[in-house]
Amino acid sequence: MSDSSRPARGLSALLATMGTAHFLAPRPFDAIIPARLPGRARTWTYLSGAAELAVAAAVAHPRTRNKGALAAAGLFAAVFPANVKMAYDWRRRPLPLRAVAYGRLPLQAPLVAWALKVARDAR
């Protein structure tokens, strides 16, 4: 694989790791599902984990990388409300935990930018 595929491999690995975590340890993800969504939080946890695994597979394969990376950018944007909920819910927790929750908010922008770069590079 060339150096230009390194960002794609990293993005795919991140998505696969997080997608797998949704199934292996779903409780923390359940807790950040916005209550406005219909149905059970666990259903949304599993659906988002499956989406991350599907997007990881699409990014990993050169033929589907462009569309997969665009889907990854959309997915990162779509999960932002869960990160906002986590930051709100954790606002009274000890400082290290608050820092984690608040730190996730600005992290979404570079994740979206990374996915868009992988999509551009795949064209």
Side-chain angles (χ1 to χ4, degrees), residues 31-70:
I32 64 172
I33 301 295
R36 290 184 194 148
L37 292 175
R40 295 177 48 232
R42 182 63 51 92
T43 301
W44 288 102
T45 294
Y46 287 157
L47 286 172
S48 60
E52 286 178 328
L53 291 171
V55 170
V59 171
H61 195 286
R63 292 184 74 186
T64 56
R65 183 165 294 152
N66 176 266
K67 286 186 171 80
L70 291 173

Side-chain angles (χ1 to χ4, degrees), residues 18 29 32 79-80 82-83 86 99-108:
M18 292 311 299
F29 298 100
I32 64 172
V79 301
F80 187 72
N83 292 342
M86 181 181 180
V100 167
Y102 297 154
R104 289 172 57 118
L105 297 174
L107 183 61
Q108 294 306 114

Side-chain angles (χ1 to χ4, degrees), residues 3-24:
D3 280 346
S4 66
S5 67
R6 283 184 72 189
R9 288 193 322 263
L11 180 61
S12 180
L14 172 71
L15 287 160
T17 299
M18 292 311 299
T20 300
H22 281 69
F23 292 96
L24 296 178

